[in-house]
Structures are given as C-alpha cells and as structure tokens.
Amino acid sequence: MINDWKLGMRMLRYAHGIKMNCIAAGLVMLLEIPAVILGRMNGNGFPAFYMLLVAGMLPTQALFSLSVAGMAQASPLKKKLQTKIPALMNFSIMAAIYLTGGLFCGIMVWGKAENREFIYENMIILAIAIAAIMVYMGVAYKHFIAASAGLLPVLCFMMSKGLSGKGLPNVLSGRGTPFWQVLLGGFAILAAGAMAEYLLSLLVYRAPMDKMAQSAPLRKEI
C-alpha cells in the first residue's frame, strides 16, 4: 500500500499540466489559510475549507491525466493508476486537510468551550463533504456528468448546514464528547469514503476515460 502511494507521488512529475496544478493549488492555499483563520475566529464554521478541498483534488486529477496516454493504457500498472493509487493519494491529501481543520477546531474548543457542539457538528459536516468528494472522484473520470450531478446536491446541502449554524443531528457531538473522539469519527468517515472511492473505481474501471473530466488543454489532445 505504501509502495503504491509512493509510486503515485513519483509519477505525478509526468502528469499533464502538473506545474500549473501545483501553482494553482499553492495560490488557493495561500489565499484560503487567512480566510480559514478568520472564519474560525468569527465562529463561522468551515466555508473557507471547501476551497482547500478543491486544491486537494488537483494532484489526483493530474494523476488521472496519465491514463489518457497510450503508453499508460498498455502498461501493466493501468488498473492501479485508475483505482488503487488515486484512492490512496486522495485519502492522504484529504486526511491532511481534515487534520488541519481539526487542529483549528481544537483551538476553538479550547478558547470557546460554549461553541463546542457547533464546532463538533462542523467537523462531521466537513468529513461527510470530503467523503462525498472522494466517492465522486471514484466515478468522475469515467462518468463525469453523472458523478457531478450526484455530488453537487450533497455539497450544497452540507455547506448550507454548516453556514446556517443548524448543523446535523447530534451524531458524535454534545458537550460530553471528547474532542479526540469526534476527530477519530471524522477520520472513520474519510476512510469509508476512500474505500467507497476505490470500490467504485473498480466497478467503472473498464469504461473509457471521459474527456469532460480532463482539463481543457488536454481535451484538445485526446
């Protein structure tokens, strides 16, 4: 598993548009980190973190661009490049983003204990949103329109819950729940999302790559 993850990271250097993807991800992170900090200070939930999730998707998208090449299609690594390796990479990146969000939440709980329940609910909302994105990415590169149609309502619902302050039913929340249990619960949701992504990618593996899932410059070359 670790070797597959390392292989994916090494192969990123050959991905289409990797330099521009790295620049775009870096700019998003530089712009969003202050927004995240300000949002946490004002108690506004996780709106800024959703832009970080977009940046987190870019390396996996770049990895999928390798599967467009004829050499990759003929490679014995073809199946791994479209199933296991993207799922592992996506989980590691999204887990890092979620952990960052969790650390901010820990600071907020320590500073404003009266907001504990609201913060816990936002942690679970973010975890569900990340899991939904991972499920989406397991299908999107073969069935882009169908996957997008399924993802957008889920993300809109999650963001509306986080922004409204109403949250979700009291799952893993409440004043008596330790912070570490909520954080681990979030990671469990992420792990389930990564497993679903992998299983769905196996299900649609034999379908051709969807041109709409690739960047505009690459679509012209397909």
Short mmCIF file of all heavy atoms in Angstrom, two decimals, residues 6-63:
data_model
loop_
_atom_site.label_atom_id
_atom_site.label_comp_id
_atom_site.label_asym_id
_atom_site.label_seq_id
_atom_site.Cartn_x
_atom_site.Cartn_y
_atom_site.Cartn_z
N LYS A 6 3.73 5.75 -2.90
CA LYS A 6 4.99 6.35 -3.34
C LYS A 6 5.09 6.37 -4.86
O LYS A 6 5.58 7.33 -5.45
CB LYS A 6 6.17 5.59 -2.74
CG LYS A 6 6.35 5.77 -1.24
CD LYS A 6 7.55 4.99 -0.74
CE LYS A 6 7.77 5.20 0.74
NZ LYS A 6 8.93 4.39 1.24
N LEU A 7 4.63 5.29 -5.49
CA LEU A 7 4.64 5.22 -6.95
C LEU A 7 3.78 6.33 -7.54
O LEU A 7 4.19 7.00 -8.52
CB LEU A 7 4.14 3.85 -7.42
CG LEU A 7 4.01 3.66 -8.94
CD1 LEU A 7 5.38 3.79 -9.61
CD2 LEU A 7 3.39 2.30 -9.25
N GLY A 8 2.62 6.54 -6.98
CA GLY A 8 1.75 7.61 -7.47
C GLY A 8 2.40 8.97 -7.33
O GLY A 8 2.32 9.81 -8.25
N MET A 9 3.07 9.23 -6.20
CA MET A 9 3.72 10.51 -6.00
C MET A 9 4.87 10.70 -6.99
O MET A 9 5.07 11.80 -7.51
CB MET A 9 4.25 10.59 -4.56
CG MET A 9 3.16 10.59 -3.50
SD MET A 9 1.98 11.96 -3.65
CE MET A 9 3.03 13.35 -3.24
N ARG A 10 5.60 9.63 -7.27
CA ARG A 10 6.70 9.73 -8.24
C ARG A 10 6.18 9.99 -9.65
O ARG A 10 6.80 10.73 -10.43
CB ARG A 10 7.55 8.45 -8.22
CG ARG A 10 8.39 8.27 -6.98
CD ARG A 10 9.49 7.25 -7.22
NE ARG A 10 8.94 5.95 -7.59
CZ ARG A 10 8.67 4.99 -6.71
NH1 ARG A 10 8.88 5.20 -5.42
NH2 ARG A 10 8.18 3.84 -7.10
N MET A 11 5.05 9.40 -9.99
CA MET A 11 4.52 9.52 -11.34
C MET A 11 3.86 10.87 -11.59
O MET A 11 3.59 11.23 -12.74
CB MET A 11 3.55 8.39 -11.64
CG MET A 11 4.20 7.02 -11.64
SD MET A 11 3.14 5.72 -12.29
CE MET A 11 3.10 6.12 -14.03
N LEU A 12 3.60 11.61 -10.53
CA LEU A 12 2.98 12.92 -10.71
C LEU A 12 3.83 13.86 -11.57
O LEU A 12 3.30 14.73 -12.26
CB LEU A 12 2.73 13.57 -9.35
CG LEU A 12 1.41 13.26 -8.64
CD1 LEU A 12 1.35 13.96 -7.31
CD2 LEU A 12 0.23 13.65 -9.50
N ARG A 13 5.14 13.66 -11.53
CA ARG A 13 6.02 14.54 -12.29
C ARG A 13 5.77 14.44 -13.80
O ARG A 13 6.14 15.34 -14.55
CB ARG A 13 7.48 14.22 -11.99
CG ARG A 13 7.97 12.90 -12.55
CD ARG A 13 9.40 12.60 -12.16
NE ARG A 13 9.49 12.26 -10.75
CZ ARG A 13 10.63 11.89 -10.16
NH1 ARG A 13 11.76 11.83 -10.86
NH2 ARG A 13 10.63 11.57 -8.88
N TYR A 14 5.17 13.32 -14.22
CA TYR A 14 4.91 13.12 -15.65
C TYR A 14 3.47 13.49 -16.03
O TYR A 14 3.10 13.36 -17.20
CB TYR A 14 5.15 11.66 -16.01
CG TYR A 14 6.51 11.15 -15.61
CD1 TYR A 14 6.66 10.21 -14.59
CD2 TYR A 14 7.67 11.63 -16.24
CE1 TYR A 14 7.92 9.75 -14.21
CE2 TYR A 14 8.92 11.18 -15.85
CZ TYR A 14 9.04 10.25 -14.85
OH TYR A 14 10.28 9.80 -14.47
N ALA A 15 2.68 13.94 -15.07
CA ALA A 15 1.27 14.25 -15.34
C ALA A 15 1.13 15.50 -16.20
O ALA A 15 1.99 16.39 -16.19
CB ALA A 15 0.51 14.42 -14.02
N HIS A 16 0.04 15.55 -16.93
CA HIS A 16 -0.22 16.70 -17.81
C HIS A 16 -0.55 17.94 -16.97
O HIS A 16 -1.42 17.91 -16.10
CB HIS A 16 -1.40 16.38 -18.74
CG HIS A 16 -1.68 17.46 -19.74
ND1 HIS A 16 -2.48 18.54 -19.46
CD2 HIS A 16 -1.25 17.63 -21.02
CE1 HIS A 16 -2.55 19.33 -20.52
NE2 HIS A 16 -1.84 18.80 -21.48
N GLY A 17 0.15 19.03 -17.22
CA GLY A 17 -0.12 20.29 -16.54
C GLY A 17 0.19 20.29 -15.06
O GLY A 17 -0.41 21.05 -14.31
N ILE A 18 1.14 19.44 -14.63
CA ILE A 18 1.40 19.34 -13.19
C ILE A 18 1.94 20.65 -12.61
O ILE A 18 1.60 21.02 -11.48
CB ILE A 18 2.39 18.17 -12.90
CG1 ILE A 18 2.56 17.97 -11.40
CG2 ILE A 18 3.71 18.39 -13.60
CD1 ILE A 18 1.29 17.62 -10.67
N LYS A 19 2.73 21.39 -13.39
CA LYS A 19 3.27 22.65 -12.87
C LYS A 19 2.15 23.65 -12.60
O LYS A 19 2.12 24.30 -11.56
CB LYS A 19 4.28 23.22 -13.86
CG LYS A 19 5.58 22.42 -13.95
CD LYS A 19 6.56 23.08 -14.90
CE LYS A 19 7.86 22.27 -14.98
NZ LYS A 19 8.83 22.89 -15.91
N MET A 20 1.22 23.76 -13.56
CA MET A 20 0.11 24.70 -13.38
C MET A 20 -0.79 24.26 -12.24
O MET A 20 -1.31 25.10 -11.48
CB MET A 20 -0.69 24.81 -14.67
CG MET A 20 0.02 25.54 -15.79
SD MET A 20 0.54 27.21 -15.31
CE MET A 20 -1.01 27.98 -14.92
N ASN A 21 -0.97 22.94 -12.10
CA ASN A 21 -1.78 22.43 -10.98
C ASN A 21 -1.15 22.77 -9.64
O ASN A 21 -1.84 23.16 -8.68
CB ASN A 21 -1.97 20.92 -11.10
CG ASN A 21 -3.14 20.56 -11.98
OD1 ASN A 21 -3.92 21.40 -12.37
ND2 ASN A 21 -3.25 19.29 -12.31
N CYS A 22 0.17 22.63 -9.56
CA CYS A 22 0.87 22.95 -8.32
C CYS A 22 0.79 24.44 -8.00
O CYS A 22 0.59 24.83 -6.84
CB CYS A 22 2.34 22.52 -8.42
SG CYS A 22 2.59 20.74 -8.40
N ILE A 23 0.93 25.27 -9.04
CA ILE A 23 0.83 26.72 -8.83
C ILE A 23 -0.57 27.09 -8.37
O ILE A 23 -0.76 27.88 -7.43
CB ILE A 23 1.19 27.47 -10.13
CG1 ILE A 23 2.68 27.30 -10.44
CG2 ILE A 23 0.84 28.95 -10.01
CD1 ILE A 23 3.09 27.84 -11.80
N ALA A 24 -1.60 26.51 -9.04
CA ALA A 24 -2.98 26.80 -8.66
C ALA A 24 -3.27 26.36 -7.23
O ALA A 24 -3.89 27.09 -6.45
CB ALA A 24 -3.94 26.12 -9.63
N ALA A 25 -2.81 25.16 -6.87
CA ALA A 25 -3.04 24.66 -5.51
C ALA A 25 -2.34 25.54 -4.48
O ALA A 25 -2.91 25.84 -3.42
CB ALA A 25 -2.55 23.22 -5.39
N GLY A 26 -1.12 25.97 -4.80
CA GLY A 26 -0.38 26.83 -3.89
C GLY A 26 -1.06 28.17 -3.68
O GLY A 26 -1.15 28.67 -2.55
N LEU A 27 -1.57 28.76 -4.77
CA LEU A 27 -2.25 30.04 -4.66
C LEU A 27 -3.53 29.92 -3.83
O LEU A 27 -3.83 30.80 -3.00
CB LEU A 27 -2.58 30.58 -6.06
CG LEU A 27 -1.40 31.09 -6.88
CD1 LEU A 27 -1.84 31.46 -8.28
CD2 LEU A 27 -0.74 32.28 -6.19
N VAL A 28 -4.29 28.85 -4.06
CA VAL A 28 -5.52 28.65 -3.30
C VAL A 28 -5.21 28.52 -1.81
O VAL A 28 -5.88 29.13 -0.96
CB VAL A 28 -6.27 27.40 -3.79
CG1 VAL A 28 -7.41 27.04 -2.84
CG2 VAL A 28 -6.83 27.64 -5.19
N MET A 29 -4.17 27.77 -1.49
CA MET A 29 -3.81 27.58 -0.09
C MET A 29 -3.34 28.89 0.54
O MET A 29 -3.70 29.21 1.68
CB MET A 29 -2.73 26.50 0.03
CG MET A 29 -3.23 25.11 -0.35
SD MET A 29 -2.00 23.82 -0.09
CE MET A 29 -1.97 23.77 1.71
N LEU A 30 -2.56 29.67 -0.19
CA LEU A 30 -2.09 30.95 0.35
C LEU A 30 -3.25 31.91 0.60
O LEU A 30 -3.26 32.65 1.58
CB LEU A 30 -1.09 31.59 -0.61
CG LEU A 30 0.30 30.94 -0.66
CD1 LEU A 30 1.16 31.61 -1.74
CD2 LEU A 30 1.01 31.05 0.69
N LEU A 31 -4.24 31.89 -0.28
CA LEU A 31 -5.38 32.78 -0.14
C LEU A 31 -6.37 32.31 0.92
O LEU A 31 -7.01 33.12 1.60
CB LEU A 31 -6.11 32.92 -1.48
CG LEU A 31 -5.35 33.65 -2.59
CD1 LEU A 31 -6.10 33.53 -3.92
CD2 LEU A 31 -5.14 35.11 -2.23
N GLU A 32 -6.49 30.98 1.06
CA GLU A 32 -7.53 30.44 1.92
C GLU A 32 -7.11 30.28 3.38
O GLU A 32 -7.96 30.29 4.25
CB GLU A 32 -8.00 29.09 1.38
CG GLU A 32 -8.82 29.19 0.11
CD GLU A 32 -10.04 30.06 0.29
OE1 GLU A 32 -10.73 29.91 1.32
OE2 GLU A 32 -10.31 30.88 -0.58
N ILE A 33 -5.82 30.11 3.64
CA ILE A 33 -5.39 29.93 5.03
C ILE A 33 -5.79 31.13 5.89
O ILE A 33 -6.34 30.96 6.99
CB ILE A 33 -3.88 29.65 5.10
CG1 ILE A 33 -3.59 28.22 4.60
CG2 ILE A 33 -3.36 29.82 6.53
CD1 ILE A 33 -2.13 27.88 4.52
N PRO A 34 -5.55 32.40 5.45
CA PRO A 34 -6.06 33.52 6.26
C PRO A 34 -7.57 33.50 6.40
O PRO A 34 -8.10 33.84 7.47
CB PRO A 34 -5.60 34.75 5.46
CG PRO A 34 -4.46 34.27 4.63
CD PRO A 34 -4.78 32.85 4.29
N ALA A 35 -8.29 33.10 5.32
CA ALA A 35 -9.75 33.05 5.40
C ALA A 35 -10.20 32.01 6.40
O ALA A 35 -11.18 32.22 7.13
CB ALA A 35 -10.33 32.73 4.01
N VAL A 36 -9.50 30.87 6.46
CA VAL A 36 -9.83 29.84 7.43
C VAL A 36 -9.62 30.35 8.85
O VAL A 36 -10.46 30.16 9.74
CB VAL A 36 -8.98 28.57 7.18
CG1 VAL A 36 -9.13 27.59 8.34
CG2 VAL A 36 -9.39 27.90 5.88
N ILE A 37 -8.49 31.02 9.07
CA ILE A 37 -8.20 31.54 10.41
C ILE A 37 -9.25 32.56 10.83
O ILE A 37 -9.75 32.53 11.96
CB ILE A 37 -6.78 32.16 10.43
CG1 ILE A 37 -5.73 31.06 10.20
CG2 ILE A 37 -6.54 32.86 11.76
CD1 ILE A 37 -4.34 31.60 10.05
N LEU A 38 -9.59 33.49 9.93
CA LEU A 38 -10.61 34.49 10.24
C LEU A 38 -11.97 33.85 10.49
O LEU A 38 -12.71 34.24 11.38
CB LEU A 38 -10.70 35.51 9.11
CG LEU A 38 -9.50 36.44 8.95
CD1 LEU A 38 -9.64 37.30 7.70
CD2 LEU A 38 -9.32 37.31 10.19
N GLY A 39 -12.29 32.84 9.68
CA GLY A 39 -13.55 32.13 9.86
C GLY A 39 -13.62 31.43 11.20
O GLY A 39 -14.64 31.44 11.88
N ARG A 40 -12.53 30.83 11.60
CA ARG A 40 -12.50 30.16 12.90
C ARG A 40 -12.63 31.17 14.03
O ARG A 40 -13.30 30.93 15.03
CB ARG A 40 -11.18 29.40 13.06
CG ARG A 40 -11.04 28.19 12.18
CD ARG A 40 -11.89 27.02 12.65
NE ARG A 40 -13.25 27.12 12.22
CZ ARG A 40 -14.29 26.66 12.86
NH1 ARG A 40 -14.15 26.06 14.01
NH2 ARG A 40 -15.50 26.78 12.40
N MET A 41 -11.99 32.34 13.87
CA MET A 41 -12.06 33.35 14.92
C MET A 41 -13.47 33.90 15.07
O MET A 41 -13.92 34.22 16.17
CB MET A 41 -11.08 34.50 14.60
CG MET A 41 -9.61 34.10 14.70
SD MET A 41 -8.52 35.44 14.18
CE MET A 41 -8.90 36.67 15.41
N ASN A 42 -14.18 34.00 13.95
CA ASN A 42 -15.54 34.54 13.99
C ASN A 42 -16.59 33.49 14.26
O ASN A 42 -17.77 33.80 14.33
CB ASN A 42 -15.85 35.25 12.66
CG ASN A 42 -14.99 36.47 12.46
OD1 ASN A 42 -14.61 37.12 13.43
ND2 ASN A 42 -14.66 36.78 11.21
N GLY A 43 -16.17 32.22 14.33
CA GLY A 43 -17.11 31.15 14.59
C GLY A 43 -18.03 30.85 13.42
O GLY A 43 -19.17 30.45 13.61
N ASN A 44 -17.54 31.06 12.18
CA ASN A 44 -18.39 30.90 11.00
C ASN A 44 -18.31 29.52 10.38
O ASN A 44 -18.68 29.34 9.22
CB ASN A 44 -18.00 31.94 9.94
CG ASN A 44 -18.37 33.34 10.36
OD1 ASN A 44 -19.34 33.52 11.08
ND2 ASN A 44 -17.61 34.31 9.92
N GLY A 45 -17.83 28.55 11.08
CA GLY A 45 -17.80 27.19 10.53
C GLY A 45 -16.67 26.98 9.56
O GLY A 45 -15.60 27.53 9.72
N PHE A 46 -16.97 26.20 8.50
CA PHE A 46 -15.91 25.75 7.61
C PHE A 46 -16.00 26.26 6.18
O PHE A 46 -15.49 25.62 5.28
CB PHE A 46 -15.94 24.21 7.54
CG PHE A 46 -15.13 23.57 8.62
CD1 PHE A 46 -15.71 23.28 9.84
CD2 PHE A 46 -13.82 23.23 8.41
CE1 PHE A 46 -14.99 22.67 10.83
CE2 PHE A 46 -13.09 22.61 9.39
CZ PHE A 46 -13.67 22.34 10.61
N PRO A 47 -16.63 27.38 5.86
CA PRO A 47 -16.78 27.75 4.45
C PRO A 47 -15.46 27.84 3.71
O PRO A 47 -15.37 27.45 2.54
CB PRO A 47 -17.50 29.10 4.50
CG PRO A 47 -17.29 29.61 5.89
CD PRO A 47 -17.22 28.41 6.76
N ALA A 48 -14.43 28.37 4.36
CA ALA A 48 -13.15 28.54 3.67
C ALA A 48 -12.48 27.21 3.37
O ALA A 48 -11.72 27.09 2.41
CB ALA A 48 -12.21 29.41 4.51
N PHE A 49 -12.74 26.20 4.18
CA PHE A 49 -12.09 24.91 3.96
C PHE A 49 -12.56 24.23 2.67
O PHE A 49 -11.85 23.39 2.13
CB PHE A 49 -12.34 23.97 5.15
CG PHE A 49 -11.25 24.02 6.16
CD1 PHE A 49 -11.46 24.64 7.37
CD2 PHE A 49 -10.01 23.47 5.90
CE1 PHE A 49 -10.45 24.71 8.32
CE2 PHE A 49 -9.00 23.54 6.84
CZ PHE A 49 -9.21 24.15 8.04
N TYR A 50 -13.72 24.60 2.17
CA TYR A 50 -14.19 23.96 0.94
C TYR A 50 -13.32 24.33 -0.25
O TYR A 50 -13.17 23.55 -1.18
CB TYR A 50 -15.67 24.32 0.70
CG TYR A 50 -16.58 23.63 1.67
CD1 TYR A 50 -17.02 24.26 2.83
CD2 TYR A 50 -16.97 22.31 1.46
CE1 TYR A 50 -17.83 23.62 3.74
CE2 TYR A 50 -17.79 21.66 2.38
CZ TYR A 50 -18.21 22.31 3.51
OH TYR A 50 -19.01 21.66 4.42
N MET A 51 -12.72 25.51 -0.25
CA MET A 51 -11.79 25.87 -1.31
C MET A 51 -10.50 25.07 -1.20
O MET A 51 -9.87 24.71 -2.20
CB MET A 51 -11.48 27.36 -1.27
CG MET A 51 -12.63 28.23 -1.74
SD MET A 51 -13.13 27.82 -3.44
CE MET A 51 -11.66 28.24 -4.35
N LEU A 52 -10.09 24.76 0.03
CA LEU A 52 -8.91 23.90 0.21
C LEU A 52 -9.17 22.50 -0.33
O LEU A 52 -8.26 21.84 -0.83
CB LEU A 52 -8.52 23.84 1.69
CG LEU A 52 -7.95 25.12 2.30
CD1 LEU A 52 -7.61 24.90 3.77
CD2 LEU A 52 -6.72 25.59 1.55
N LEU A 53 -10.41 22.05 -0.26
CA LEU A 53 -10.75 20.74 -0.81
C LEU A 53 -10.57 20.74 -2.32
O LEU A 53 -10.16 19.74 -2.91
CB LEU A 53 -12.19 20.36 -0.45
CG LEU A 53 -12.49 20.20 1.05
CD1 LEU A 53 -13.93 19.73 1.23
CD2 LEU A 53 -11.52 19.23 1.70
N VAL A 54 -10.90 21.85 -2.96
CA VAL A 54 -10.69 21.96 -4.41
C VAL A 54 -9.21 21.83 -4.72
O VAL A 54 -8.81 21.12 -5.66
CB VAL A 54 -11.24 23.31 -4.93
CG1 VAL A 54 -10.88 23.50 -6.40
CG2 VAL A 54 -12.74 23.38 -4.73
N ALA A 55 -8.36 22.50 -3.94
CA ALA A 55 -6.91 22.39 -4.14
C ALA A 55 -6.45 20.96 -3.90
O ALA A 55 -5.55 20.45 -4.59
CB ALA A 55 -6.17 23.35 -3.20
N GLY A 56 -7.07 20.28 -2.94
CA GLY A 56 -6.69 18.90 -2.64
C GLY A 56 -7.02 17.93 -3.75
O GLY A 56 -6.41 16.86 -3.86
N MET A 57 -7.99 18.29 -4.60
CA MET A 57 -8.38 17.42 -5.71
C MET A 57 -7.40 17.50 -6.87
O MET A 57 -7.35 16.58 -7.72
CB MET A 57 -9.78 17.80 -6.21
CG MET A 57 -10.89 17.54 -5.21
SD MET A 57 -12.46 18.30 -5.71
CE MET A 57 -12.83 17.37 -7.21
N LEU A 58 -6.62 18.56 -6.98
CA LEU A 58 -5.79 18.80 -8.15
C LEU A 58 -4.71 17.72 -8.37
O LEU A 58 -4.52 17.29 -9.51
CB LEU A 58 -5.14 20.18 -8.06
CG LEU A 58 -6.11 21.36 -8.17
CD1 LEU A 58 -5.39 22.69 -7.99
CD2 LEU A 58 -6.84 21.34 -9.50
N PRO A 59 -3.98 17.26 -7.33
CA PRO A 59 -2.99 16.21 -7.60
C PRO A 59 -3.61 14.92 -8.14
O PRO A 59 -3.03 14.29 -9.04
CB PRO A 59 -2.35 15.98 -6.22
CG PRO A 59 -2.57 17.25 -5.48
CD PRO A 59 -3.90 17.74 -5.94
N THR A 60 -4.77 14.53 -7.61
CA THR A 60 -5.42 13.32 -8.11
C THR A 60 -5.90 13.50 -9.54
O THR A 60 -5.80 12.59 -10.37
CB THR A 60 -6.60 12.94 -7.20
OG1 THR A 60 -6.15 12.88 -5.84
CG2 THR A 60 -7.17 11.58 -7.59
N GLN A 61 -6.39 14.70 -9.85
CA GLN A 61 -6.81 14.98 -11.23
C GLN A 61 -5.60 14.88 -12.16
O GLN A 61 -5.70 14.34 -13.27
CB GLN A 61 -7.42 16.37 -11.32
CG GLN A 61 -7.84 16.74 -12.74
CD GLN A 61 -8.49 18.11 -12.83
OE1 GLN A 61 -8.80 18.72 -11.83
NE2 GLN A 61 -8.70 18.60 -14.04
N ALA A 62 -4.46 15.42 -11.73
CA ALA A 62 -3.25 15.33 -12.55
C ALA A 62 -2.83 13.88 -12.75
O ALA A 62 -2.40 13.49 -13.84
CB ALA A 62 -2.12 16.12 -11.89
N LEU A 63 -2.98 13.07 -11.72
CA LEU A 63 -2.61 11.66 -11.83
C LEU A 63 -3.48 10.94 -12.86
O LEU A 63 -3.00 10.12 -13.65
CB LEU A 63 -2.73 10.98 -10.47
CG LEU A 63 -2.25 9.52 -10.40
CD1 LEU A 63 -0.74 9.44 -10.62
CD2 LEU A 63 -2.61 8.91 -9.06
#
